[in-house]
Amino acid sequence: MAVDVRWATTGDAAALAAMLCEMAVHYRQPPIDADRALSASQKWLDQESPAYPHFALAFAEGEICGLASVAIAHPGIDLERLLFLKDLFVRENVRNAGVGRALMAFLAGHCLREGIGRIDLTTEDWNEGALRFYDGLGADRHGQKVFLRLSGEALKAIAIKS
């Protein structure tokens, strides 16, 4: 299957929204309202900077089939930027058909062209398919970091009141 990958543009809001809705179900989250997903997608894509896009989309035969959500972080202790892969999601009907690999190749090529030194990512410990996929790409598992999150009440409690 031929897979085309590109950075998302404002015209891709509906495709991105559809992927976000499917992704929520896959990651065992409550279903996302389609209108809410479309509104968020339009807002995010309107705010995208050409220098730092946030969503790569994969298409096969003109249909959306995968997405990568990323952020660029400046610099780490080694003075190299990194690309943080927040989510990589491929529609179930095209898993194991090269879509994920095409997305990762696109991101790796972007990193090399832009002088970005590495791709960091996380995945759930229960997601055996993702773990096998990243192992197959040659990803190293690092146990040096603990994943933490501030959200909800904790986020409110530490926020500066303006």
Side-chain angles (χ1 to χ4, degrees):
M1 164 175 38
V3 179
D4 297 310
V5 180
R6 62 179 168 76
W7 293 115
T9 66
T10 55
D12 294 315
L16 177 58
M19 294 301 294
L20 294 172
C21 289
E22 286 185 40
M23 191 170 68
V25 172
H26 173 76
Y27 287 118
R28 305 174 182 176
Q29 300 299 309
I32 297 173
D33 175 74
D35 290 336
R36 182 172 168 242
L38 180 59
S39 177
S41 296
Q42 289 168 331
K43 178 182 175 184
W44 295 335
L45 293 175
D46 282 345
Q47 295 172 350
E48 294 279 277
S49 160
Y52 296 107
H54 296 101
F55 296 100
L57 301 179
F59 296 86
E61 299 177 10
E63 295 293 319
I64 183 76
C65 60
L67 78 78
S69 172
V70 304
I72 308 296
H74 296 278
I77 58 173
D78 56 6
L79 298 181
E80 283 192 336
R81 294 180 297 163
L82 70 91
L83 183 146
F84 180 73
L85 176 60
K86 170 61 177 83
D87 288 300
L88 179 77
F89 179 73
V90 174
R91 281 189 159 158
E92 189 171 353
N93 66 325
V94 291
R95 288 200 187 121
N96 300 309
V99 176
R101 185 170 285 279
L103 281 159
M104 292 302 293
F106 177 82
L107 296 175
H110 177 76
C111 288
L112 293 174
R113 284 188 305 277
E114 299 298 321
I116 297 168
R118 69 182 196 256
I119 297 174
D120 284 352
L121 59 108
T122 64
T123 191
E124 289 75 12
D125 58 0
W126 57 261
N127 195 337
E128 290 297 324
L131 291 167
R132 280 191 307 277
F133 173 72
Y134 294 122
D135 285 342
L137 292 177
D140 295 323
R141 293 189 191 190
H142 283 259
Q144 303 128 328
K145 305 253 182 195
V146 175
F147 179 77
L148 304 167
R149 178 175 294 153
L150 289 167
S151 62
E153 292 305 313
L155 189 64
K156 291 175 189 173
I158 65 168
I160 296 173
K161 309 294 182 199
S162 51

